[in-house]
């Protein structure tokens, strides 16, 4: 990408909708469906991650003997579960990106096209 690709002259223009158009779009069934799909996906996944993180913190705080259980050499359950926090973060991110690319982005693009019109 070059700087000329970022200049206003090089980018396609869309008409700017007025405030009422945004309000009308927010009330539309398409926009409500997009919000519902986002919430149905994000809230449970967030709750899962927070519960998993809280479990790790509680185990580290109150079950130190369990977390100190040797698995292999100097590797214990605490280290494995701690690294699992990083792994689960990357997995959740990948799942969300896949969901957004497959389900949310096409719907959002359709809403934008309806609101602002096609690219000129």
């Amino acid at each position: 990408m070059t700087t000329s690709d970022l200049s206003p002259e090089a980018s396609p223009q869309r008409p700017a909708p007025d405030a009422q158009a945004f309000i009308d779009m927010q009330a539309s069934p398409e926009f409500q469906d997009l919000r519902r799909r986002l919430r149905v996906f994000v809230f449970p996944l967030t709750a899962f991650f927070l519960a998993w993180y809280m479990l790790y913190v509680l185990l580290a705080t109150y079950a130190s003997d369990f977390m100190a259980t040797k698995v292999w050499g100097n590797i214990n359950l605490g280290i494995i579960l701690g690294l699992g926090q990083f792994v689960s973060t990357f997995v959740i991110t990948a799942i969300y990106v896949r969901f957004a690319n497959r389900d949310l982005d096409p719907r959002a693009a359709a809403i934008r096209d309806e609101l602002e019109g096609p690219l000129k």
Side-chain angles (χ1 to χ4, degrees), residues 67-120:
M67 295 291 271
T69 302
K70 299 275 184 179
V71 175
W72 181 67
N74 288 329
I75 307 295
N76 59 29
L77 283 177
I79 291 173
I80 292 173
L81 293 176
L83 293 174
Q85 292 289 317
F86 290 102
V87 172
S88 66
T89 300
F90 290 120
V91 169
I92 287 170
T93 301
I95 290 169
Y96 174 77
V97 167
R98 184 172 155 220
F99 170 73
N101 287 338
R102 183 188 70 232
D103 201 39
L104 299 179
D105 291 349
R107 293 174 194 281
I111 289 171
R112 181 177 182 186
D113 288 342
E114 183 180 334
L115 184 63
E116 297 179 348
L119 288 173
K120 293 181 181 180

Side-chain angles (χ1 to χ4, degrees), residues 26 30 32 34 37 44 47 64 72 86 99 119:
Q26 285 180 333
E30 296 87 3
Q32 295 302 316
L34 177 64
R37 288 176 184 271
S64 57
W72 181 67
F86 290 102
F99 170 73
L119 288 173

Side-chain angles (χ1 to χ4, degrees), residues 6-72:
L6 299 175
S7 69
E9 300 83 30
S11 65
Q13 296 296 314
R14 293 179 186 237
D18 62 359
Q20 188 59 45
F22 281 109
I23 292 169
D24 294 342
M25 183 53 71
Q26 285 180 333
S28 73
E30 296 87 3
F31 187 81
Q32 295 302 316
D33 182 56
L34 177 64
R35 287 180 61 182
R36 183 188 60 76
R37 288 176 184 271
L38 176 67
R39 287 178 178 159
V40 164
F41 183 83
V42 169
F43 288 157
L45 206 55
T46 301
F48 165 76
F49 181 76
L50 291 175
W52 157 233
Y53 180 73
M54 185 57 68
L55 175 66
Y56 176 73
V57 170
L58 290 173
L59 286 173
T61 303
Y62 297 109
S64 57
D65 291 339
F66 172 74
M67 295 291 271
T69 302
K70 299 275 184 179
V71 175
W72 181 67

